[in-house]
Amino acid sequence: MAAESRLIVVSNRIPTDAQPSGGLVVALHDALKARGGVWIGSSGETSDSPGPLHEIEGVPEYRKLAYDLTEDEHRGFYLGHANSVIWPLFHHRADLIDVDEENRRQYMAVNARVAEMIAKVVEPGDILWVHDYHFLPLGHELRKLGVQNRIGFFLHIPFPNPGDIAALPDQKQLGPWVSSFDLFGLQTQRDVSACLEWLRTATEAEFTLRGRMKLADRFFEVRSFPIGIDVDSFQEAADAADITITDLPVEQKLVLGVDRLDYSKGLPNRFEAFGKYLGLRASDGPRATMLQIAPPSREDVEAYREIRAELESMAGSVNGEHAELDWTPIRYIRRPLPREIVAGLYRRADVMLVTPLADGMNLVAKEFVAAQDGADPGVLILSHFAGAAEQLDGALMVNPYDTSGMARAIDQALAMSLHERHARWLSMMQVIRDTDIEWWTESYLRALRSQPQVQVA
Ligand code: ADP
């Protein structure tokens, strides 16, 4: 066997730029650049008659192979089953799932089609690393085609509550899907516990020696690998950024939120908490402005349109109650901002609100820590329900359902001494450096490579 096997990465979207940006994309790009290999994913284009995989130009060190989806596939596989069933259910929102037989059929059909395309390019000794909830059945489909290579999977979103899995139309298949991978990677220990609990109670899986599981005739491992960021690049971006918010005087406190607009991010609760904080604050006390950046995403899905309307109305009502002639307490920007600006805002913020109701990891929390100036760091307010809470115990932890508790946390953060802010920041910085994006890629791939290729306990 070759010392370093070729890596095949599969993810929903393949970056089309030669120099991609964005944490995960950069990490996978670097991993492939260092080892060579192939990146397979959707081109982002739809076509009436999508042909086979086609080469996309990139860098000489590795190949990018893309496929197109039909309009029906995009609607059924991506917007339908992946984002209207799996996403809400895995974020503990079974109330939002929209089960549809045709969408589920498209989800399976795309996974089968992608598996066929991959099977044509796999060579003996290659290792495959499949990413995220779009491709839960992909390992199983590849096994059906006789692919015997090591196949790893990483779920970027939370593992669902075991009891909710019964609401999945494909709940019976989930066991074989998971066990078709050699390594089922999750973000946190909490996710691993939920997954093992489901395997124990709802499937025939057995626990074997050395932490491996056995289901039917397959052995596999379930393990957490909390994803990290490129710490230096955020620090440098924050150093280089020169942010002035014209009508926000430097002495005015800035409370920041940066999220993709999604119901899992807990934005209405956050706005309500900030409104309560404004109610708590002495009328002659220092003013704090909350800036929320939240560009809409997946607007073809009904639940995303609803959250947008709800948030706009809440911002209006909090401002209506508390604004003064020269002060708008909540500012809300719907445009996505360039990474350099975001890094500069992280640096400028006195308090960062990362308060999701459920989140696989939440990279924004880590980016905020990385962007601080160690001499005068801001305070991170972090939901217990973000995966990052398992690692960042220097944050002020909050329960996002308790908006009064969050209001008190904002007050506490704004009054926190430099000594305490510094101690909390240092402990978080240590963790994000120790488990940065390179650590994540390396430790996952090392664990995948060490899975026995011949299926033994
Ligand atoms: P999710 O993957 O659910 O969107 P994460 O917090 O894990 O949440 O990752 C989001 C990524 O997108 C981060 O790298 C963050 O910097 C970037 N991002 C999120 N919101 C914005 C925004 N409003 N403008 C620019 N970049 C954003």
Side-chain angles (χ1 to χ4, degrees), residues 87 258-260 265 293-295 336-337 342 346 362-364 367:
W87 176 278
V258 174
D259 306 75
R260 197 168 43 72
K265 303 290 181 185
I293 323 271
L337 297 178
V342 172
Y346 289 149
N362 196 294
L363 294 176
V364 166
E367 292 167 1

Side-chain angles (χ1 to χ4, degrees), residues 189-204:
Q189 274 309 319
R190 181 164 55 200
D191 295 317
V192 170
S193 302
C195 183
L196 295 182
E197 169 74 6
W198 160 73
L199 283 165
R200 189 177 62 77
T201 55
T203 74
E204 309 274 295

Side-chain angles (χ1 to χ4, degrees), residues 283-304:
S283 57
D284 57 349
R287 286 173 176 177
T289 295
M290 171 165 161
L291 173 61
Q292 175 66 54
I293 323 271
S297 62
R298 305 174 195 163
E299 285 193 284
D300 296 329
V301 177
E302 175 64 23
Y304 286 77

